[in-house]
């Protein structure tokens, strides 16, 4: 039986690029083991449920296998399985982000120097108007 630390397993499963980054995420509360905050030195077990926050995405996965060495991405994906609820939530949030991006128009280009000056002057004048 192989005993593997949580931070090492997260690194081997390719959730984080370095083991120290995996350790920081666990210590920072971004990774929950069976619904609770844990330490990076926690020994992982097959069947455990992990909740990971990566950027704006949150994943809930179940550990299927334990490995202490970092291998190819295809092999790393066989170490875990994301729950169907987690997949559905992530897709719904991604869809909402896309719809939100469509409602907020972005300019075609960055403002040039003259336009930046006008924007700064406009903001300054509004702030002065609020104070009076």
């Amino acid at each position: 039986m192989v005993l593997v630390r949580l931070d090492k397993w997260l690194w081997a499963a390719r959730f984080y690029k370095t083991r120290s980054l995996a350790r920081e995420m666990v210590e920072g509360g971004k990774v929950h083991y069976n619904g609770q905050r844990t330490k990076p030195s926690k020994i992982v077990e097959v069947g455990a449920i992990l909740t990971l926050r990566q950027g704006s995405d949150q994943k809930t996965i179940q550990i299927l296998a334990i490995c202490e060495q970092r291998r190819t991405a295809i092999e790393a994906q066989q170490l875990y399985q994301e729950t169907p609820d987690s997949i559905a939530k992530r897709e719904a949030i991604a869809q909402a982000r896309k719809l939100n991006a469509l409602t907020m128009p972005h300019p075609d280009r960055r403002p040039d120097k003259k336009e930046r000056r006008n924007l700064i002057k406009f903001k300054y004048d509004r702030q002065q108007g609020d104070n009076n």
Side-chain angles (χ1 to χ4, degrees):
M1 186 169 111
V2 180
L3 299 177
V4 179
R5 295 167 47 111
L6 178 59
D7 60 345
K8 195 167 189 177
W9 186 87
L10 289 167
W11 167 76
R14 293 181 170 260
F15 284 105
Y16 301 105
K17 194 170 185 175
T18 64
R19 188 169 161 195
S20 62
L21 184 59
R23 179 184 178 90
E24 288 175 20
M25 292 299 140
V26 174
E27 288 174 344
K30 305 284 191 256
V31 178
H32 289 214
Y33 185 87
N34 287 335
Q36 296 182 351
R37 282 185 71 163
T38 186
K39 295 181 179 179
S41 61
K42 173 77 175 165
I43 303 298
V44 295
E45 301 168 347
V46 174
I49 303 294
L50 291 178
T51 306
L52 307 155
R53 177 167 291 282
Q54 292 180 309
S56 60
D57 289 339
Q58 183 170 337
K59 295 180 183 178
T60 304
I61 62 163
Q62 181 178 13
I63 297 175
L64 300 178
I66 296 175
C67 182
E68 63 181 1
Q69 293 180 335
R70 190 173 172 102
R71 302 248 168 97
T72 65
I74 295 168
E75 290 178 46
Q77 290 173 351
Q78 295 172 356
L79 297 177
Y80 63 91
Q81 179 180 13
E82 189 171 2
T83 61
D85 291 340
S86 174
I87 294 170
K89 282 181 186 177
R90 276 193 314 112
E91 288 175 352
I93 291 171
Q95 186 66 25
R97 264 198 315 262
K98 286 179 185 175
L99 291 174
N100 191 25
L102 293 175
T103 61
M104 301 180 81
H106 293 284
D108 295 334
R109 60 179 179 78
R110 292 179 59 180
D112 60 18
K113 191 171 186 176
K114 183 177 181 181
E115 292 169 338
R116 279 196 307 272
R117 282 191 197 133
N118 289 337
L119 285 170
I120 291 168
K121 183 180 177 201
F122 177 74
K123 286 181 184 178
Y124 178 76
D125 289 344
R126 284 191 67 183
Q127 287 175 352
Q128 294 303 315
D130 291 343
N131 292 336
N132 291 331

